[in-house]
Amino acid sequence: MKRLVHLRHYRALLRRLFIAVFLGIAAALVVWLFHRAMLGLEWLLLDHEDGSLVAAAAALPAWRRVLTPALGGLAAGLLLWIYQRYQHQHPAAPTDYMEAIETGDGRLDVKASLVKCLASLLVVSSGSAIGREGAMILLAALIASVFAQRFTRESEWKLWVACGAAAGMASAYHAPLAGSLFIAEILFGTLMLASLGPVVIAAVSALLVTNLLSGGQAPLYIVEPLPAPLPLQYLLMALLGVLAGICGPLFLSAMSATGHAFRSLRLPPPLQLALGGLIVGLLSLLFPEVWGNGYSVVQALLSAPPGVLLVGAILICKLLAVLASSGSGAPAAYLRRRCSSARRSVHWSVSCAPCGRSWAAPSRC
């Protein structure tokens, strides 16, 4: 009898292992496909195919540099607005993987999530100052959610969606352990070893497949070797961490205030997103570095740091561009948490100003 119990336990572990590996492979494939679609759209819109939006912006004439992000926002807004009009109701399940894990049962609304990712693809490829990773992770979590609902028990749905999200993070950021710990500790609320195992396996599997598809392992940033820091520099590092901790909440407050400012204009979603893209385009006349998620900018600063004043000017323009993109409602899986003593909510919305409705209503617990 004891051997039978052990056999069932090993079979359950083996089953979880195979599912985690499968979800990791599926997540890597869907992230790779999204990246290829993004490169293809950039080539179509910008006549540029090396993946650097900053280089593409610098090569464009001024009028195209201004209009391209605005037209991308307009197209994404039209897509969201048309879907919302014909849907006639809020999505039956969330379109945020964090909400599906933290407050839901692991289900994601398939149609609404796909529309959200397609809209994100449009704004990302046209130069808006938002990241592509949110849509990549959402697609990976969506694949896991669909698989879990078809082939696993309901009690396991949240675990497999967490595996898909961690695998998406590993593929997008090349950081499997960081993604696994984030999912296990932040979303599950505690670092549970029973849940951490499949999550780590899915993330590592996704990273291996990503490296295979991309032709080898490559770091996100290439940093020149540095000498050992001096004792005073350790103190400066600690002060930098404190400064970052102070600026983080201030930045989130600025994003929230910018969103309220855009919604107060009471524009329909297409014009609201187009306005955000137009602001990014105008800022790019000063610095094309405001386009995109900033990978190439950070790499350039690491390779050949410019003067402090130039870095400060680029930083200010980049912050304004990010605030304009996120505040206008650009669908990049923007997450806003509102915590109080009575409830917590996870919220992502694109407001429909004429009717006062949201693209996705917040859930409360």
Side-chain angles (χ1 to χ4, degrees):
M1 185 65 181
K2 191 174 182 180
R3 290 183 59 187
L4 183 60
V5 171
H6 284 304
L7 181 60
R8 290 177 179 175
H9 177 69
Y10 291 140
R11 287 182 59 186
L13 289 178
L14 191 62
R15 170 180 169 273
R16 286 195 168 192
L17 172 65
F18 281 125
I19 293 178
V21 171
F22 172 78
L23 292 179
I25 295 173
L29 289 173
V30 73
V31 168
W32 181 80
L33 289 174
F34 184 90
H35 187 255
R36 300 308 300 178
M38 186 182 68
L39 293 178
L41 199 55
E42 288 176 15
W43 173 80
L44 185 65
L45 296 176
L46 308 172
D47 300 326
H48 209 269
E49 55 184 352
D50 69 350
S52 173
L53 286 171
V54 173
L60 291 177
W63 66 272
R64 285 190 64 184
R65 198 185 298 180
V66 172
L67 290 181
T68 301
L71 293 177
L74 180 65
L78 283 172
L79 177 64
L80 295 174
W81 182 74
I82 291 172
Y83 178 81
Q84 185 181 30
R85 286 292 182 180
Y86 284 94
Q87 185 71 10
H88 297 299
Q89 60 182 2
H90 292 303
T95 60
D96 190 324
Y97 66 93
M98 295 187 71
E99 183 178 350
I101 298 173
E102 189 176 28
T103 63
D105 57 4
R107 286 182 295 177
L108 287 166
D109 190 291
V110 177
K111 291 182 180 179
S113 298
L114 290 176
V115 170
K116 180 179 175 181
C117 290
L118 180 57
S120 179
L121 177 64
L122 291 173
V123 293
V124 168
S125 302
S126 58
S128 287
I130 56 175
R132 63 196 181 194
E133 293 81 7
M136 292 177 173
I137 299 170
L138 176 57
L139 282 173
L142 181 63
I143 292 293
S145 177
V146 172
F147 173 86
Q149 291 177 58
R150 285 183 173 270
F151 300 108
T152 66
R153 298 184 296 271
E154 184 175 354
S155 60
E156 295 180 322
W157 289 358
K158 295 172 70 171
L159 171 63
W160 301 127
V161 173
C163 288
M169 287 185 181
S171 297
Y173 293 109
H174 297 187
L177 293 181
S180 302
L181 293 175
F182 172 79
I183 293 295
E185 188 171 9
I186 303 300
L187 298 187
F188 287 143
T190 181
L191 194 60
M192 298 183 297
L193 293 179
S195 300
L196 184 60
V199 171
V200 172
I201 291 172
V204 173
S205 301
L207 181 62
L208 293 176
V209 175
T210 299
N211 292 336
L212 181 65
L213 293 173
S214 59
Q217 184 176 4
L220 289 181
Y221 300 111
I222 300 175
V223 182
E224 295 294 331
L226 297 174
L230 300 174
L232 178 60
Q233 291 175 321
Y234 285 107
L235 177 61
L236 295 177
M237 293 176 191
L239 293 177
L240 179 62
V242 173
L243 180 62
I246 295 173
C247 292
L250 294 177
F251 179 66
L252 292 178
S253 299
M255 292 180 74
S256 180
T258 307
H260 286 303
F262 271 95
R263 289 191 292 274
S264 67
L265 298 176
R266 302 192 63 80
L267 296 173
L271 296 182
Q272 184 171 303
L273 269 72
L275 177 59
L278 180 62
I279 294 174
V280 174
L282 292 173
L283 289 170
S284 69
L285 293 177
L286 298 174
F287 296 104
E289 289 86 354
V290 302
W291 273 33
N293 57 8
Y295 279 132
S296 59
V297 179
V298 174
Q299 182 60 67
L301 295 178
L302 290 173
S303 302
V308 176
L309 292 179
L310 181 58
V311 172
I314 294 175
L315 176 61
I316 292 173
C317 289
K318 183 65 176 179
L319 286 174
L320 293 175
V322 171
L323 292 175
S325 297
S326 62
S328 64
Y334 163 56
L335 173 68
R336 178 173 59 205
R337 288 176 177 267
R338 294 177 297 176
C339 300
S340 67
S341 59
R343 66 171 184 254
R344 294 181 301 167
S345 67
V346 179
H347 182 81
W348 179 90
S349 67
V350 173
S351 296
C352 181
C355 57
R357 292 183 298 176
S358 294
W359 163 252
S363 70
R364 297 177 175 86
C365 62

